[in-house]
Amino acid sequence: MRTHIATPALLAAVALAGGLLAAAPAQAAAHQSGLHLGAIQYDSPGRDTRTNASLNAEWVDIHNNSRSSVQLKGYKLKDNTGYAYTFGSYRIGAGKTVKVRTGRGNNASGVVYWNRGSYVWNNTGDKARLLKPSGAQRDSCSWSGSGGGAASCH
């Protein structure tokens, strides 16, 4: 299980604390293989109008860095409030990314839709969790509202 926190304050603290820098490469190297959260657009650009276009501008990328495809059936994407998207049968190829969009649409290669009529991710701060079908956490990413509407979880 890995937790990534995408906040400018944490990045500054790591840069200033020389002792912590030695741990960063090990975490980055461990993150090179497997399924993980990539980028999150938690605040759709423009006004929050709740139109389908605005809802679909809110999304989470899940990336497969492994050398083989992964069946995502039963995996869940959850926020702090408890909203959960559960994958049906979807295979993500080796080195590929799937984008989970909040609004409605037709699932296709590289994109699935949560089919919600309201936003999921809080603009002021939230935490995305990727859970295995067993319920065990595979990855997570937190942010505060200072990221300009997007978080990088690499």
Side-chain angles (χ1 to χ4, degrees), residues 118-142:
S118 59
Y119 301 98
V120 172
W121 309 108
N122 294 321
N123 298 351
T124 56
D126 209 337
K127 183 175 186 177
R129 293 173 184 80
L130 181 62
L131 305 176
K132 295 178 181 182
S134 67
Q137 184 169 290
R138 176 69 181 110
D139 200 7
S140 68
C141 182
S142 300

Side-chain angles (χ1 to χ4, degrees), residues 5 9-10 14 30-31 33 37 45 49 57 62 64 68 79 82 103 105 111 115 121 126 128 130-131 149-150:
I5 301 173
L10 178 64
V14 170
H31 201 270
S33 179
L37 297 170
T49 60
I62 299 172
N64 177 10
S68 58
D79 78 334
V111 63
N115 291 318
W121 309 108
D126 209 337
L130 181 62
L131 305 176

Side-chain angles (χ1 to χ4, degrees), residues 14-26:
V14 170
L16 292 174
L20 293 177
L21 291 177

Side-chain angles (χ1 to χ4, degrees), residues 3-129:
T3 300
H4 309 282
I5 301 173
T7 63
L10 178 64
L11 295 174
V14 170
L16 292 174
L20 293 177
L21 291 177
Q27 184 177 11
H31 201 270
Q32 294 304 312
S33 179
L35 203 58
H36 67 275
L37 297 170
I40 300 176
Q41 180 68 45
Y42 58 82
D43 185 5
S44 60
R47 292 183 49 222
D48 289 345
T49 60
R50 289 196 185 195
T51 62
N52 195 52
S54 180
L55 291 168
N56 280 330
E58 181 183 83
W59 48 261
V60 175
D61 279 347
I62 299 172
H63 187 70
N64 177 10
N65 272 350
S66 73
R67 294 182 184 204
S68 58
S69 64
V70 176
Q71 175 55 254
L72 294 179
K73 185 173 186 176
Y75 273 80
K76 291 182 190 262
L77 180 62
K78 289 181 80 172
D79 78 334
N80 271 344
T81 307
Y83 294 124
Y85 173 82
T86 303
F87 279 89
S89 183
Y90 186 91
R91 185 167 296 279
I92 183 172
K96 300 293 182 183
T97 298
V98 61
K99 188 176 294 288
V100 181
R101 293 189 179 272
T102 300
R104 293 177 173 80
N106 295 317
N107 294 348
S109 178
V111 63
V112 295
Y113 294 86
W114 202 315
N115 291 318
R116 289 187 45 85
S118 59
Y119 301 98
V120 172
W121 309 108
N122 294 321
N123 298 351
T124 56
D126 209 337
K127 183 175 186 177
R129 293 173 184 80

